[in-house]
Amino acid sequence: MNYTKGILSNLLLRIRRREARRDPAWRELAQSEEAAYRRLRKGCGRNRELLRQVAELADAEAALAEYAGEYQFFLGLQMGLELGAMDLLGDEEDDVWEQLEFSS
C-alpha cells in the first residue's frame, strides 16, 4: 500500500468509528451482534472447538466486509478524481453564460 492510500485508509477508519458512535442504527446493530454472540457462547460454551470455528468464520466475514468497504471508498475517490478532471461543459460553457447575460 502506498503512503497516500495508507493515510486515507486510516482516515476512513477513524471517521467510521467516530460516526458509528453517533449513529443509532449502528449502535442497535452492534448491540444485536453482542446479544447473538452471548447466545452462541451460552449454547456452545463447552464446545471450544466449535466456538473457535465460529470465531474464525466471523473474523473472515469481518475482514472481507472491511476490504469491501475500503475498496468502495477508494473506487469512489478514483471516480471523483476522474469526474473532476473531465471537462463536462467543454466549449459550450462560455455560450451558456453569454446566453444568460443577454436574456436578462
Side-chain angles (χ1 to χ4, degrees), residues 6-104:
I7 290 173
L8 292 174
S9 290
N10 289 334
L11 180 63
L12 174 64
L13 181 61
R14 287 176 186 228
I15 290 172
R16 189 177 61 218
R17 285 181 182 164
R18 184 186 68 211
E19 292 304 313
R21 287 191 297 266
R22 297 179 185 168
D23 186 3
W26 184 288
R27 286 192 307 251
E28 184 178 331
L29 289 170
Q31 290 171 354
S32 174
E33 177 194 25
E34 290 171 14
Y37 185 68
R38 282 193 301 272
R39 287 190 306 271
L40 175 72
R41 287 194 62 189
K42 185 177 180 182
C44 304
R46 297 184 192 274
N47 190 341
R48 293 202 179 274
E49 180 59 26
L50 179 60
L51 283 174
R52 186 188 62 75
Q53 289 177 3
V54 170
E56 285 179 5
L57 176 62
D59 288 345
E61 288 179 344
L64 183 60
E66 180 78 20
Y67 182 77
E70 287 181 13
Y71 185 79
Q72 290 172 345
F73 175 72
F74 290 119
L75 182 60
L77 278 178
Q78 182 180 357
M79 289 173 60
L81 289 171
E82 289 176 7
L83 285 172
M86 293 175 66
D87 185 13
L88 298 176
L89 295 176
D91 295 331
E92 297 175 6
E93 182 178 8
D94 294 332
D95 295 337
V96 170
W97 288 111
E98 286 175 10
Q99 290 173 6
L100 289 173
E101 289 175 14
F102 290 119
S103 65
S104 50

